[in-house]
Amino acid sequence: PGYPAYEPITAYVGGKPVPLRLSESNGFRMTPEEVNELITSRTKAIIINSPHNPCGSVLREEDVKGIVEIAEDRNAFVISDEIYYPILFDGLKHYSPLSFAKKDNVILVDGFSKRYAMTGWRLGYAVVPSDLVEPMTKLLNNMTSCPNQFVQYAGIEALRGPQDSVKKMVKAYEERRNVVMEKLKEVEGITYLKPQGAFYVFVNVQKILSRAGMTSEQLVTRLIENYGVAVLHGSSMGAYGEGFIRISFANSIENLVEGISRLGRAFSDMLRQ
Ligand SMILES: Cc1ncc(COP(=O)(O)O)c(C=O)c1O
């Protein structure tokens, strides 16, 4: 499972997206061993995303280092989507492949929507090897021209201004994460890991699905229509996401508590029908 744009963008530019199954047994981390199993001489780039959407997992220093080394050995790029990088819990640290790379093979992508809650303002940036600047500029110029001017000024203000709002937000997300963990204990038939970053919990609902004879997509439709709760089906995050739903805790504690108790009611109904 991963952010849904990666697969279609790869296919659009003529590549073959190769998904890696993240497993609960290693904390939904993408490990160098797993990358090694899938990499071939045709691999052009390895996409990593930490903290992770939808799993809330965070790569360790040795994971990032190991993946960078593999990419360097194989002459592949590492595309590192670090859009959630400050949203880390339990005192964890963020490791960027840029700090370990010995070759010019890392592309860092980031944006303003998560860190500064500027979602919808459509402003992002990338740090790329110098020979990619010209072709990327040409592509962007012809595709989008540029972000509008006042949003660019807002981005400058966000970067140059005091950063205490980011700390405040991360603290609020951690509190919400803790409330969500407490409330989910009351829900039957599910398993989940404690997210270490971003603002998502990826919940294993395989038991509910097999009891109800449904796919995760059918389940989320049932949840919104009959219980008024919006979650995302795991299969929207790639084929390996089937069997899961994603809860976003970018919402008020009050709504989260209400939403999870409705989930509890829904699953208890489904387990007994
Ligand atoms: C991992 C990841 N990357 C990139 C994005 C894109 O963010 P935006 O289009 O809001 O800048 C998102 C948004 O959900 C995301 O979760």
Side-chain angles (χ1 to χ4, degrees):
Y3 181 57
Y6 306 145
E7 277 196 71
I9 291 173
T10 308
Y12 184 70
V13 296
K16 179 182 168 209
V18 178
L20 185 148
R21 186 191 285 275
L22 299 175
S23 58
E24 291 158 294
S25 61
N26 60 19
F28 287 128
R29 285 160 38 239
M30 181 166 150
T31 64
E33 295 73 33
E34 290 166 324
V35 172
N36 246 333
E37 274 173 31
L38 292 177
I39 200 160
T40 71
S41 57
R42 299 176 63 195
T43 304
K44 295 272 187 269
I46 304 164
I47 303 177
I48 63 173
N49 169 224
S50 178
H52 191 264
N53 176 12
C55 297
S57 48
V58 171
L59 293 180
R60 299 177 184 161
E61 182 176 13
E62 67 262 28
D63 300 330
V64 179
K65 255 189 185 158
I67 292 169
V68 168
E69 280 166 16
I70 295 170
E72 285 177 349
D73 274 358
R74 301 289 195 130
N75 270 327
F77 284 103
V78 177
I79 301 175
S80 181
D81 181 347
E82 301 184 26
I83 200 157
Y84 297 100
Y85 85 84
I87 308 179
L88 284 165
F89 311 134
D90 310 320
L92 284 177
K93 246 188 93 176
H94 175 70
Y95 297 97
S96 170
L98 265 188
S99 49
F100 304 119
K102 295 190 201 76
K103 288 189 185 167
D104 222 5
N105 71 329
V106 174
I107 296 171
L108 183 155
V109 289
D110 195 357
F112 290 75
S113 44
K114 317 296 175 189
R115 194 176 0 150
Y116 299 113
M118 284 165 64
T119 313
W121 293 40
R122 318 310 317 139
L123 190 65
Y125 57 89
V127 181
V128 303
S130 48
D131 54 347
L132 289 188
V133 172
E134 202 269 357
M136 273 185 73
T137 308
K138 196 190 279 177
L139 186 72
L140 272 176
N141 244 335
N142 289 296
M143 282 175 73
T144 66
S145 296
C146 62
N148 70 58
Q149 198 184 18
F150 62 83
V151 164
Q152 293 189 50
Y153 279 116
I156 294 170
E157 285 300 313
L159 290 174
R160 292 197 176 148
Q163 301 297 306
D164 37 329
S165 62
V166 179
K167 269 199 192 137
K168 222 165 100 186
M169 270 172 49
V170 174
K171 196 163 164 273
Y173 284 133
E174 187 160 354
E175 275 166 26
R176 293 173 195 180
R177 190 269 319 248
N178 294 342
V179 169
V180 168
M181 289 297 103
E182 276 309 304
K183 282 301 288 179
L184 282 176
K185 283 185 193 157
E186 297 164 15
V187 179
E188 289 178 273
I190 58 168
T191 61
Y192 49 88
L193 298 180
K194 191 177 186 179
Q196 298 180 310
F199 34 71
Y200 309 109
V201 201
F202 209 43
V203 179
N204 185 326
V205 289
Q206 267 145 18
K207 188 170 166 191
I208 309 288
L209 296 179
S210 57
R211 189 67 68 89
M214 283 182 176
T215 61
S216 63
E217 187 167 7
Q218 289 166 328
L219 175 66
V220 303
T221 307
R222 168 83 65 94
L223 291 172
I224 189 86
E225 285 179 351
N226 294 10
Y227 298 89
V229 187
V231 293
L232 204 58
H233 50 291
S235 57
S236 69
M237 300 281 179
Y240 291 145
E242 184 51 21
F244 293 83
I245 55 169
R246 190 197 72 176
I247 297 175
S248 163
F249 47 90
N251 210 318
S252 67
I253 288 190
E254 190 189 357
N255 286 344
L256 290 167
V257 167
E258 175 63 23
I260 295 170
S261 57
R262 290 187 194 193
L263 271 188
R265 207 170 345 118
F267 293 167
S268 147
D269 291 349
M270 286 175 199
L271 289 168
R272 274 163 197 78
Q273 70 192 349

